[in-house]
Every structure is written in structure tokens, then in C-alpha cells.
Amino acid sequence: MQFNSIRAGLTRFIRTKSTLVLLSTLSLAVAQSAQAQTGGFLEQPLSLSTAVEPLLSQSEILSFLPQRGKFTFPAPYSTTGIRLTNATDCSGAQDCVDAVGYSYWRNINNHVGQDNLLVLVGLNQTRGGAGLTLMQVNKTTDAVTNLGLVFPAGSSYGGGSGEGWYFSATQATKMFLNSGAKILRHDVISKQTETVFDLSARMPGHIVWQVHTSNDDRVHSATIKNSAGASLGCMAYETDTREFHYYPKKGDFDECQIDKSGTWLVIKENVDGAEGEDNRIINIETGNERLLRDSDGAGGHSDLGYGYMVAADNWASASNTQRVWDFNAPAMTGLVAYANLDWNASMPAHLSHSNARNAPINQQFACGSSANRRNSAEANEVICFRLDGSKDVLVVAPVMTNLDTRGSDDYDNSPKGNLDITGQYFIWTSNMGGSRLDSFLVKIPSQLLTGTTSGGGIPTPVVSTTITAVPVIPVVTSILSPAPAPATSTSSSSAAVTWVEQVNVSASGGSLQKTGGCDGCTDSGAASQQVINGNGYVEFTATVESGMRGIGLNDKNTGTSGAEIDFGLRLQGGAAEVRENGLYRWDLAFANGDVFRISVANGVVKYAKNGTVFYTSTKMPAATLRADTTFASSGSRISNAVISTGTTSGTSTTTATSTSTSTITGLLPVTWTGLVNVATLNGSAQKNAGCDGCPDAGAVSSAQIASGEGYLEFKGTIENKLRVVGLSGINSTTTDADIRYGLRLENGSVEVREGGAFKWDTTFNAGDIFRISVQGGVVTYAKNGVVFYRSKVAPSYPLRADASFASTGGTVMNAVMKTGG
């Protein structure tokens, strides 16, 4: 294809393996990175839509396709493709590969931090296939491995095509599927299946259909059908609160979908009986509902992000218009993100935004694919576009589909592909100009759109409900036993790291360099002699170099792998990644001389560059931490590392009447007052009188959370005793009726009780740490740092710790309280 000089000058990019050449008139800044995907080019279809790539013939397609694995699309695309299937996957070389289900059901797993990615591929059993199959792709070599059936042999699910089933956004080996009245979660590796939701208890005889899930796996939506298959409306189910929402249809119902945040539900149905399909947009938390009519731009084909929708507007003045609708905006005026000038072809026919992030819209993009008999610009290609109205379009690859050679209908032949969660891979099915389908991946050179080489994953900004760990008072084995001796800690200022336990490295002051071992192997490292107790940090000066290395904080040093570093930064080139025990969390660029700090303060670990925090961990730190390093590349360095090992000092005592602070400022062992049939010691309380089995014993804290944020934390004990502990505003009785946010414990079971009303339950083990916290205007309940329930009741102040006991001898152990900050 010949490009006219204007289009070539304005919109073409040339990519090599490590360098991006940006032709002079484009303003999009793109970072240089060896990790960036190659190929692709930009277009502006509204002004430059006359240049069209010729359709590839079957012989041309077969000339560059391998039997399986990696290949390169011909120029001008030059992107990397991966062929997943071929005729040998189908008995007798039949046409057994099922079309990729749809653009919003994710066929690719969340592979962030993994060496391989997993793909669901339907191999139809009625056409010579084995059934729903799991393919593995090595992300370094692009080699494809058939891992076999997704479900155990003989499973009733094994014959499914996979349409409507999808990978979890958070759990690498889990997928969601529907079966009758149930939403199920299945582990594709262990082959274990669990029920997430069962409609039969609420609406017997009905089934769920076209299920969707928020990106935190918390909220699920589905169409509800009766036994005759008629759609009755839409449901949403919140797993953390067990709240069930039902929205009966108002007109001709099509489908519904929850957004990635789990807050907004979009129902597609013709409400007014005019024109076409409208959109009901519902906030499931508030119940507020808005109507976007078809003639005003309501989406038919669409996908959802965090509080917004990307949708086709067939009433727009320009053909194939795709708009972004902000659900939080006062007025529903969709921003045009894509349009072209050809009404005779549909592109993209199916839009995928399964790579949505909780990030500004100018950092977001969507992709889609289409096949048409009329070959306009982008009409037979995989394309992507930004969602900020810039109109830049990334052309990625030809779909290689001929609608007339396979003998099936156009919809079945259509390349209804979807993005993985990182936005790095797009999957679709193509007939390659012939008579059978195969599955393909293409690597998306998204840096041409976003200006960053970040793989993304779900680098979610810090959430206000983050739970972090704090040291707790030593366990009191008996309420009547004397308290343990108080611990003493000393303060220290920052100093150069003294590196010990050195393996294949040389140290000079606080700097380290790999000087031995295998180049490319993580067989080198060292740890600090200094130990952080409580608050402290490790800090170093970054250097831009090609070698891969990592540094962070760890509670122990047992090897040289980065997988053992609890809170780490992995550096290579000018990119730094937050890696926690080897798992990717976040990334950003840096320059020579930038100073990184990983700090722990008040039980929270934060990552900063030049004094600005860019990521706050959701992981609990150990009580003591050391600096730890790992090196893969020979000659790679960590420069000028310093460590601060703590800021606390003195001796802290804990008696029944003490109000001394612990080693973290503002953290108080609970001083129990208003005692009724209760004895207390060191933050613990125990019923020692009254009726066994009667809620006639209790106590409240002298300290209170007057405003803002704070929490109550205590240690769980397994005992056949009924007791309730939590936060309350008033204490008028010894029952749990006035405990506004409570946990009811007996044996190994715990229930969330609010004002005495049941809300949630789970199990626990002896020594588990429970926390009821107020943060960001939300009350949450956590076990060992993991939130298991979020209250629907907004906090009102002041709040005090409150305990109610029914069983004689029942205890609340080692209660501590943070009352502000």
C-alpha cells in the first residue's frame, strides 16, 4: 500500500527494538524502553481516512503464519502476533475452534508478575475438538503450550464454548462462569469449583445469564431469566455485604453489566418503545437512576470502565462514533473518542475496554476489531484509540478475516476480540481467508497512544480502606497472669547500610555491585546488618543502567531471589517497578540521581521518589525489617543506600489503668472503664461474674475516636464463649444492641453484628488479628490485614471500644486502639 505524503509525515511511527523515532509533527511523547512492543502506526481518521491497507489474500496470510507461536505481521503493521491454535487441535483438521466469546469477557488471565499468561480457547467437541482448553504463552519466548482441558474430564462444563465465561481480574488462575441459578468461580489449575452466588434461594426456578464482575471481584451482575428463557430484568450482588439488588425490566430488555468499580450498573433495554435501545444507568449504592435514550447516544455495543462507559453512538453526525459517558457528570454529554467518515462499514464492530484502570481518562484506551466486505481504513483491522477525545487511532494488525470463505454467518466469523487486563495483548479468532477459525494474540504497542511503556496490570491508586498492620501488645495467656516485662527500644538516625551476607557482590560503603555469578541469574545479593524496629526506611540513589536489580525491605534474608523481598523496587533501564515478594504492583520512570525511599511508618509501607509518595502498600509489614537486595545482571549496582532503623525510645508499660502509648504514636492499649462483671488487665477483658449465658457483663474504653480516622484491634482466641467487641457511640447497656460496629465471637466463628443485627460471618484461628477501622468515612472489618466486610452505616462520632459478654470466662484479648491520624 502506498501512503500519501501528508499521512505518512503526520501519522507514521518507526519502531526498532529499543528506540522509538517520532516523526516531527506529532506531539505525543513516548519513553524509550526495551520493554515496549514494536510496530503499529497512528492515524487520524476524521481527516485522513482515504488511505486504505489492501486486504491480505489467503496465500499471503499463510506465507507469514507459523503452525503455532510467534510471528510478525507484514508492513506497515510490523506488530508481533502469536498463533494459539491450528488444524491439529481439531480431529481430522475440522473447523473446531469456537469464536472468541465477546469483547467484554476476558479470555486472558491477569498475568502481572508471572512468566506466562493463560488463555481460554473453545475447541468444540461436536466438531472434533477436546472442549474448553487452557493455553499457556511464555511471555519471553512467546512459545505456546496446550495445558489441556479447563475442567476435569467428564465435567458437564467441559463442552462449553467459553462464551460468557471469563478470567478474574485479580486471581490469576480463577475464572467465573454461570450455571443455572449459580455464579461459579473455577480454578483452571487445581480444577476446584466454588459457588459465588445462588439465585435459587431468592427467586426459585430462575437462572442467571450474561454475568459480569467488577475488577475487585466484589460485585457481580447478571440478567435474570425465567424457566422459559424470557429475560425478566437485571440483578447485582455485593459479595462483601451479601446485598442483592433486583431491577425488573421496564421495556424490551437486552442485557446489563456492572462497571469495573462495582458501583454503576448499565441496563440496555428499549424503555420508551421508540427509536432503539436505551441505557438505564444505576448507582447501586444510592439507587439513583438516569436514563440515556437511544437518540441521545445510548450505547448498544459498549464496555465499561471505572464510572464511565465507552459506547457506539449510531445517532451521531459522524459514522462509527464512539463516545465516553461519565456517570458522575451532572449532565450526560458523551465525549467523542473515535469516529470516521464511512457509513458503509462498521469499525470497530465490537469494542473492548477490559484493560480499564482506576486512573485519569487521558491514560486510558480501548481497542476493537471488525471485518467488512467493504475495505475502508480500519474496517478490517485491530485498532485502539485513546478515550480523551484526541482522535488518535493506533492501527495494530489486520484481522485476516474473509466473511465469504468459511460458510458460517457474519456474526460467527466476526473477530469479536478482547483485551487482557494490562492492555498489552488482544485476542481474536480469524478464518485466515479460509474455511476454519484459529485463535490469535497480538501485542499492543500501546506506548504509541499513552506515552508510557507501563504494562499496567491493575496499578490501582491507594484506596482509602487500606488496612495496615501495627505491633500489638504481647499475648496475655491469662487475664489473671502478670503482664510480661516491658520492652525497651532505642532510637537511631540514618546511616550508610552495612551490607552483610554478601553473595557474588562487592560492597563499598552503602553501595553494592554484582561482581560474580551468572549474568542474568538472580544468584547475587546482600542484606543490611541494621534492623528496622517499628518506623524507618531504606533510601538509595538511582542510576539508569541496563542491568536488572532490586532492593527493598524484608524480615529475613534466606536467599538471593527477589521473591523473598517483602517490599521492593526492581530497576532496569529508566523504569522502576514496585515488586512485593516478586509480584508486580506499580511502575514509573526515573532519571539518574533520583532518590528512592521505601519507608515504614505506623504500620504502613510507602514508596517515594524525590520525596513524593507514588505507591502505598496494602501489605502488612513484619515487626522487624532489614534492607535486602537481589541482582540478576553482572555489573549492576545499588548506589549510596542508607537506612534509618527507628525513631522510638524508652520503656512502655501496660497495666489495667495505664494510658501509656505503644511504640507507634497514637496507638493505645485499651483502658477499660464502666466495668460490669468484668476484670481487666493490659488491654484485655474477661467476664468473671454474673449469669453464665446472660449478656450482663461489659466495659467500654476511656479513649475515643473523636473524629476522622482510627481503629480498634484485638487478638482472636478460640474458646467456647460468646462475646461481642466493637465500636459504639453510647454505652447504655451490657448487651450488644448499642455496639454500632461489632464482632461476635464464639469458638472459631465470628459474625459482624451492627446494633445486634447480623451482617456477615467468617471463620478464624487462634492468634488471628481483627481490626475494626474508620478510614475515609467508611467502617471496615479486617482479619490479618484483609478486609472482609465494609459497613453500609456511615460513622458518627465519638466512637469508643465497647465489649459485651454472655459466657463466664469469655475474653477479649490484647485490645489496642488508635484514636486519630
Side-chain angles (χ1 to χ4, degrees):
M1 163 85 213
Q2 298 296 319
F3 290 85
N4 62 57
S5 59
I6 295 177
R7 179 170 183 255
L10 287 176
T11 64
R12 292 295 304 279
F13 282 80
I14 301 172
R15 285 289 303 172
T16 64
K17 186 172 183 179
S18 61
T19 307
L20 174 68
V21 180
L22 175 61
L23 298 185
S24 60
T25 57
L26 287 173
S27 60
L28 183 64
V30 180
Q32 176 179 331
S33 171
Q35 296 178 347
Q37 306 299 352
T38 60
F41 55 87
L42 291 184
E43 292 182 332
Q44 294 176 307
L46 282 175
S47 59
L48 299 165
S49 61
T50 58
V52 182
E53 306 297 338
L55 293 176
L56 297 169
S57 67
Q58 183 183 24
S59 60
E60 288 174 319
I61 293 169
L62 296 179
S63 70
F64 62 79
L65 285 184
Q67 280 297 298
R68 206 187 303 272
K70 180 179 180 179
F71 64 93
T72 301
F73 284 100
Y77 306 102
S78 302
T79 41
T80 299
I82 302 170
R83 184 174 184 173
L84 299 174
T85 61
N86 61 40
T88 65
D89 296 308
C90 307
S91 177
Q94 297 182 58
D95 179 24
C96 80
V97 178
D98 286 315
V100 168
Y102 201 71
S103 54
Y104 43 48
W105 286 311
R106 195 179 291 113
N107 284 67
I108 307 170
N109 77 324
N110 184 342
H111 52 87
V112 173
Q114 307 295 316
D115 294 329
N116 303 293
L117 61 83
L118 304 175
V119 187
L120 299 174
V121 176
L123 302 179
N124 196 292
Q125 292 178 342
T126 67
R127 302 196 305 268
L132 190 62
T133 298
L134 188 66
M135 296 288 187
Q136 176 180 278
V137 178
N138 183 285
K139 296 193 306 190
T140 301
T141 65
D142 298 321
V144 177
T145 304
N146 186 329
L147 297 183
L149 295 176
V150 171
F151 296 96
S155 168
S156 59
Y157 305 123
S161 68
E163 180 171 354
W165 300 349
Y166 50 94
F167 271 112
S168 161
T170 62
Q171 302 179 76
T173 63
K174 302 291 183 67
M175 61 175 285
F176 291 103
L177 64 150
N178 61 294
S179 176
K182 295 180 179 181
I183 299 174
L184 304 174
R185 182 164 43 220
H186 176 73
D187 192 306
V188 298
I189 301 300
S190 71
K191 311 304 182 189
Q192 299 299 306
T193 306
E194 59 184 323
T195 298
V196 176
F197 172 77
D198 190 345
L199 181 65
S200 58
R202 293 175 171 85
M203 301 178 69
H206 295 69
I207 68 169
V208 293
W209 190 252
Q210 292 188 323
V211 178
H212 298 274
T213 300
S214 58
N215 265 9
D216 58 5
D217 287 356
R218 187 180 65 86
V219 184
H220 306 275
S221 68
T223 294
I224 295 179
K225 293 177 175 282
N226 63 19
S227 58
S231 297
L232 303 182
C234 181
M235 58 146 282
Y237 177 68
E238 301 180 68
T239 58
D240 56 346
T241 62
R242 298 185 183 178
E243 289 194 52
F244 174 77
H245 308 267
Y246 177 51
Y247 306 93
K249 68 177 183 178
K250 294 182 177 180
D252 186 9
F253 185 95
D254 180 7
E255 62 178 330
C256 64
Q257 182 180 5
I258 196 72
D259 83 323
K260 303 299 192 295
S261 75
T263 302
W264 298 92
L265 186 70
V266 174
I267 300 176
K268 298 176 182 177
E269 59 180 306
N270 191 339
V271 175
D272 55 15
E275 294 152 346
E277 192 165 88
D278 308 309
N279 295 158
R280 295 168 60 191
I281 301 168
I282 302 170
N283 184 317
I284 67 170
E285 299 297 332
T286 65
N288 182 56
E289 179 172 339
R290 306 168 80 174
L291 181 65
L292 180 61
R293 299 184 185 277
D294 184 55
S295 57
D296 294 328
H301 291 303
S302 67
D303 204 354
L304 307 184
Y306 284 79
Y308 62 89
M309 170 176 66
V310 190
D313 178 6
N314 62 340
W315 286 81
S317 58
S319 60
N320 295 297
T321 294
Q322 304 280 339
R323 292 185 186 271
V324 179
W325 299 92
D326 182 354
F327 301 152
N328 291 288
M332 294 289 287
T333 54
L335 174 70
V336 175
Y338 175 87
N340 57 45
L341 299 178
D342 191 348
W343 287 97
N344 296 307
S346 175
M347 61 266 201
H350 300 88
L351 181 76
S352 178
H353 191 39
S354 45
N355 62 321
R357 298 170 55 182
N358 190 7
I361 202 69
N362 62 4
Q363 300 176 22
Q364 309 271 8
F365 66 94
C367 297
S369 54
S370 54
N372 293 273
R373 291 178 176 83
R374 176 185 173 87
N375 191 30
S376 302
E378 302 154 10
N380 291 280
E381 294 166 323
V382 177
I383 64 170
C384 305
F385 52 87
R386 284 206 300 266
L387 304 185
D388 59 359
S390 64
K391 307 297 194 300
D392 287 329
V393 177
L394 172 63
V395 180
V396 180
V399 295
M400 307 181 295
T401 296
N402 187 324
L403 295 175
D404 297 318
T405 61
R406 182 167 168 257
S408 187
D409 60 45
D410 286 0
Y411 185 81
D412 191 46
N413 281 317
S414 181
K416 304 177 292 292
N418 56 76
L419 281 165
D420 79 318
I421 203 163
T422 71
Q424 293 179 303
Y425 295 87
F426 185 85
I427 182 174
W428 79 104
T429 39
S430 170
N431 64 22
M432 304 160 289
S435 59
R436 56 181 305 279
L437 288 181
D438 273 316
S439 294
F440 295 89
L441 299 179
V442 64
K443 296 184 180 182
I444 306 292
S446 58
Q447 72 277 359
L448 300 186
L449 284 176
T450 63
T452 176
T453 58
S454 169
I458 314 182
T460 308
V462 180
V463 181
S464 62
T465 53
T466 297
I467 299 298
T468 52
V470 295
V472 295
I473 302 169
V475 178
V476 179
T477 56
S478 169
I479 198 69
L480 303 178
S481 301
T488 303
S489 63
T490 58
S491 99
S492 64
S493 59
S494 63
V497 173
T498 300
W499 296 109
V500 296
E501 300 166 26
Q502 298 178 24
V503 179
N504 294 325
V505 294
S506 297
S508 176
S511 300
L512 272 179
Q513 185 172 36
K514 179 169 181 174
T515 54
C518 160
D519 186 17
C521 306
T522 54
D523 58 359
S524 309
S528 67
Q529 184 181 66
Q530 299 98 323
V531 177
I532 296 172
N533 289 285
N535 300 343
Y537 61 81
V538 64
E539 185 176 272
F540 65 97
T541 303
T543 55
V544 176
E545 52 189 82
S546 60
M548 183 183 295
R549 68 277 191 207
I551 180 173
L553 297 175
N554 186 20
D555 62 335
K556 55 185 175 296
N557 178 46
T558 59
T560 58
S561 168
E564 74 172 14
I565 299 179
D566 297 332
F567 307 95
L569 286 170
R570 172 183 167 182
L571 299 96
Q572 187 174 29
E577 294 180 352
V578 175
R579 295 267 178 161
E580 297 186 341
N581 296 117
L583 297 178
Y584 170 91
R585 301 301 185 197
W586 194 264
D587 61 53
L588 79 166
F590 70 90
N592 275 315
D594 284 347
V595 176
F596 284 102
R597 176 180 289 188
I598 307 171
S599 62
V600 55
N602 296 344
V604 180
V605 177
K606 297 183 178 182
Y607 301 76
K609 183 181 78 171
N610 300 328
T612 301
V613 173
F614 59 88
Y615 183 76
T616 300
S617 180
T618 59
K619 177 181 170 67
M620 296 186 300
T624 60
L625 294 166
R626 303 168 67 192
D628 195 1
T629 60
T630 178
F631 295 84
S633 304
S634 296
S636 57
R637 295 170 296 164
I638 296 293
S639 298
N640 305 321
V642 297
I643 190 168
S644 173
T645 57
T647 57
T648 59
S649 62
T651 302
S652 173
T653 61
T654 55
T655 66
T657 58
S658 172
T659 58
S660 303
T661 61
S662 74
T663 56
I664 292 183
T665 302
L667 184 65
L668 301 172
V670 170
T671 299
W672 295 105
T673 63
L675 307 180
V676 179
N677 296 325
V678 166
T680 66
L681 182 68
N682 300 327
S684 299
Q686 184 178 57
K687 180 173 180 175
N688 64 354
C691 162
D692 187 17
C694 305
D696 58 358
V700 295
S701 65
S702 60
Q704 62 183 20
I705 303 171
S707 62
E709 300 181 347
Y711 56 78
L712 167 68
E713 187 173 272
F714 64 95
K715 186 183 293 291
T717 56
I718 304 295
E719 50 189 79
N720 188 25
K721 308 290 184 180
L722 180 61
R723 65 276 193 207
V724 183
V725 62
L727 297 172
S728 68
I730 59 172
N731 180 47
S732 57
T733 71
T734 57
T735 72
D736 67 344
D738 56 6
I739 300 181
R740 193 175 301 159
Y741 310 98
L743 288 172
R744 179 183 187 269
L745 299 94
E746 188 173 21
N747 290 321
S749 296
V750 61
E751 297 179 354
V752 175
R753 295 270 179 154
E754 296 189 342
F758 172 86
K759 299 297 181 181
W760 189 257
D761 59 28
T762 186
T763 59
F764 71 96
N765 297 314
D768 284 348
I769 302 298
F770 287 102
R771 180 182 290 187
I772 306 171
S773 64
V774 186
Q775 194 170 18
V778 178
V779 177
T780 59
Y781 301 77
K783 181 179 73 174
N784 299 329
V786 178
V787 172
F788 60 87
Y789 183 78
R790 291 176 173 84
S791 178
K792 295 295 184 181
V793 179
S796 58
Y797 300 94
L799 290 168
R800 297 193 294 172
D802 194 353
S804 169
F805 299 87
S807 304
T808 301
T811 57
V812 171
M813 300 295 290
N814 305 125
V816 295
M817 196 168 180
K818 188 173 183 181
T819 57

